[in-house]
């Protein structure tokens, strides 16, 4: 009887193992979402959800890219949950969000607060915590309906641009990090900024800056060309959008966060303002030393960088000359400090602690922090900050000296 019971147990286990995938979902029955956007609009159904999905498999083969425009589905609802559910009104396929890496938030919604939207995403197992959050001054709908150079799907193009532009800092601007920062002592977080530019206007602006003549063309004869651009950062104070940082301010902020890798800085040659030497800076360390004083809060910031020569157009400058090398290192220190302070001024203007000084104060003395936490938001702009930068030129590239020209 024991052997029979044992055999029956084995057979029962085997039957369970070969029962198949009870929750399987056929790909041709799904609308696979790769980009998700949310806007707030007027009317009885204020939430507008935009989903960019992989084109249906019913497209004709051999088209090499299929549709000219991204395949986008829209849905509205009184709540976010209702809007997501209303996708079924316009598509026979089940919306599948597990592959989505891009979440675009319209600025109008971001200003009212993103807590409700984040709460919805957190409660569903389908939405990735490592998806990138992006804010746009336009609408999320416009962004996901736009084209991206060399990519059929703008969501995939944006993902690749993030890797290229912000790597390795890109993983610090994902949804999971944004929410943990908003819940921390600083109650401030970053997201990316994505905008839609008119390529014709952008090209004309660049030509003017280069000193070239720009002909006035008939506006009716010009084809309007839109282009997505990921540039700068979006700043959140608590759960509300506070403003944008431009490229220079964003780069200055990254030093406070200890996230700079291969950032180029251009210095003028000693004997010519029209020629330059360019360095790639790799941040080696960052230390925040809080000064907890109820009369005056202070923060000492120490930054270390290794510099690599990327371009040298200064024929009279020798990187083997210790005096020249020391002078260049001092110039690098001043350039980094200047950019950091400009970024800090902008952050203080926005009134949001995305440099995370509050975290440093808390870690230094949790008891003292509890006493000043209630007034910290007002006192943040008054913090006395000193920055000490130490840069070292480590590598000169494949060649050591500048090429001389006859």
């Amino acid at each position: 009887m024991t052997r029979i019971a044992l055999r029956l147990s084995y057979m029962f286990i085997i039957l369970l193992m070969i029962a198949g995938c009870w929750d399987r979902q056929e790909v041709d029955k799904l609308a696979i979402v790769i980009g998700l956007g949310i806007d707030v609009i007027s009317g009885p159904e204020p939430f507008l959800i935009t989903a960019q999905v992989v084109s249906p498999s019913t497209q004709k083969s051999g088209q090499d890219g299929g549709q000219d425009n991204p395949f986008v589905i829209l849905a509205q609802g009184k709540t976010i949950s209702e809007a997501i559910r209303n996708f079924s009104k316009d598509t026979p396929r089940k919306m599948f969000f597990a592959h989505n890496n891009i979440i675009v938030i319209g600025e109008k919604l971001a200003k009212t607060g993103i807590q409700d939207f984040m709460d919805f995403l957190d409660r569903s197992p389908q939405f990735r915590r490592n998806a990138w959050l992006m804010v746009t001054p336009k609408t999320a709908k416009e962004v996901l309906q736009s084209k991206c150079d060399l990519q059929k799907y703008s969501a995939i193009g944006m993902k690749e641009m993030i890797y290229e532009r912000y790597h390795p800092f890109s993983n610090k601007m994902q949804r999971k990090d944004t929410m943990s920062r908003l819940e921390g002592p600083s109650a401030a977080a970053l997201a990316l900024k994505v905008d839609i530019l008119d390529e014709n206007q952008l090209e004309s602006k660049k030509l003017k800056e280069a000193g070239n003549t720009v002909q006035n063309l008939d506006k009716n004869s010009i084809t309007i060309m839109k282009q997505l651009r990921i540039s700068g950062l979006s700043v959140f104070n608590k759960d509300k959008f506070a403003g944008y940082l431009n490229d220079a301010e964003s780069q200055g902020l990254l030093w406070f966060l200890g996230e700079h890798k291969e950032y180029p800085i251009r210095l003028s040659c000693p004997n010519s303002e029209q020629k330059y030497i360019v360095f790639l800076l790799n941040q080696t360390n960052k230390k925040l030393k809080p000064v907890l004083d109820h009369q005056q809060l202070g923060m000492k910031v120490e930054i270390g960088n290794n510099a690599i020569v990327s371009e040298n157009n200064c024929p009279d400058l020798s990187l083997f000359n210790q005096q020249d090398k020391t002078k260049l290192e001092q110039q690098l220190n001043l350039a980094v400090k200047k950019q950091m302070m400009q970024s800090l001024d902008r952050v203080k203007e926005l009134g949001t602690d995305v440099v995370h000084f509050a975290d440093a104060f808390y870690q230094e003395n949790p008891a003292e922090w509890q006493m000043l936490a209630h007034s910290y938001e007002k006192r943040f702009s008054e913090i006395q900050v000193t920055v000490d930068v130490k840069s070292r030129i480590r590598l000169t590239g494949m060649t050591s000296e500048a090429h001389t020209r006859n």
Side-chain angles (χ1 to χ4, degrees), residues 216-353:
N216 293 323
L217 300 175
D218 183 5
K219 293 183 179 180
N220 295 325
S221 66
I222 299 176
T223 301
I224 297 176
M225 299 177 66
K226 302 283 187 174
Q227 174 62 40
L228 291 178
R229 169 171 288 191
I230 296 176
S231 179
L233 297 172
S234 308
V235 177
F236 281 87
N237 185 29
K238 298 179 180 175
D239 74 320
K240 291 182 173 60
F241 170 77
Y244 298 110
L245 302 181
N246 61 30
D247 271 345
E249 292 162 349
S250 299
Q251 295 298 336
L253 177 65
L254 293 188
W255 265 296
F256 283 104
L257 302 180
E259 296 291 345
H260 256 299
K261 300 295 179 185
E262 295 190 352
Y263 175 66
I265 281 194
R266 181 185 69 233
L267 300 177
S268 297
C269 295
N271 300 320
S272 175
E273 293 291 327
Q274 304 303 318
K275 293 185 178 181
Y276 306 96
I277 181 169
V278 182
F279 293 91
L280 295 180
L281 296 187
N282 289 296
Q283 190 169 357
T284 56
N285 72 284
K286 175 212 71 174
K287 291 182 180 180
L288 299 181
K289 297 182 177 181
V291 179
L292 275 166
D293 187 332
H294 287 282
Q295 299 299 320
Q296 179 64 66
L297 297 178
M299 185 67 68
K300 296 179 180 179
V301 185
E302 296 180 1
I303 301 296
N305 295 307
N306 281 340
I308 302 171
V309 180
S310 174
E311 186 177 350
N312 183 10
N313 298 317
C314 307
D316 299 328
L317 191 65
S318 174
L319 294 170
F320 289 109
N321 183 306
Q322 187 59 45
Q323 187 176 359
D324 286 350
K325 187 177 179 182
T326 301
K327 189 177 293 186
L328 285 171
E329 289 174 344
Q330 291 172 348
Q331 288 180 281
L332 284 173
N333 294 340
L334 290 173
V336 171
K337 182 177 179 179
K338 180 180 179 182
Q339 195 167 37
M340 289 179 68
M341 296 308 293
Q342 288 175 341
S343 177
L344 182 62
D345 288 342
R346 174 59 176 160
V347 167
K348 286 184 174 182
E349 179 186 335
L350 294 175
T352 178
D353 182 16

Side-chain angles (χ1 to χ4, degrees), residues 5 10 89 124 128 138 144 153 166-167 174 243 298 329 383:
Y10 285 148
K89 292 181 178 180
S124 173
R128 291 186 172 191
K138 302 297 193 301
L144 291 175
Y153 297 105
Y166 290 101
H167 182 76
Q174 294 170 337
E329 289 174 344
I383 297 175

Side-chain angles (χ1 to χ4, degrees), residues 372-391:
L372 63 88
H374 68 281
S375 61
Y376 179 75
E377 188 171 356
K378 295 180 180 178
R379 299 181 63 182
F380 170 67
S381 61
E382 301 171 358
I383 297 175
Q384 295 295 318
V385 180
T386 58
V387 176
D388 181 26
V389 182
K390 294 181 180 179
S391 301

